[in-house]
Amino acid sequence: QAPSGEFLHFANEEHGYKALEIVLKKVYWNGSVSECIKRYAPSFENNTSGYVDRIVSKMGISPNTLVKNCNIKKLMSTIAEIEGFKQ
């Protein structure tokens, strides 16, 4: 999300995935998946607990798993799927 509060739009899929990877590694890397999603998809805009549940179910991890201990590509594709990205 941009500082203005509007959502960012990317020129293509590659740029969007690269931006997500950078955010996960620079902002959320040392936090848990649950902490990450609470910030990334806050409850005033999302069903945050449902979002976390979908990630942990799809990935077979705990909500307390650190982002840095996740398969980052799988986490990224799971987030993209939840966000409605269709390939």
Side-chain angles (χ1 to χ4, degrees), residues 52-71:
V52 172
D53 290 346
R54 286 180 68 187
I55 288 175
V56 300
S57 176
K58 181 143 182 129
M59 294 187 63
I61 59 174
S62 158
N64 297 320
T65 301
L66 298 180
V67 171
K68 68 182 174 184
N69 293 333
C70 291
N71 175 325

Side-chain angles (χ1 to χ4, degrees), residues 2-16:
S4 65
E6 294 189 29
F7 289 95
L8 298 174
H9 298 275
F10 298 96
N12 57 47
E13 171 187 342
E14 182 182 342
H15 289 160

Side-chain angles (χ1 to χ4, degrees), residues 7-48:
F7 289 95
L8 298 174
H9 298 275
F10 298 96
N12 57 47
E13 171 187 342
E14 182 182 342
H15 289 160
Y17 272 106
K18 187 61 180 171
L20 178 56
E21 183 176 17
I22 289 168
V23 167
L24 288 172
K25 289 182 175 179
K26 293 196 180 253
V27 177
Y28 302 116
W29 198 242
N30 292 309
S32 70
V33 169
S34 180
E35 292 167 335
C36 165
I37 297 305
K38 284 178 184 172
R39 270 186 74 194
Y40 183 84
S43 61
F44 66 87
E45 294 178 337
N46 300 274
N47 173 356
T48 304

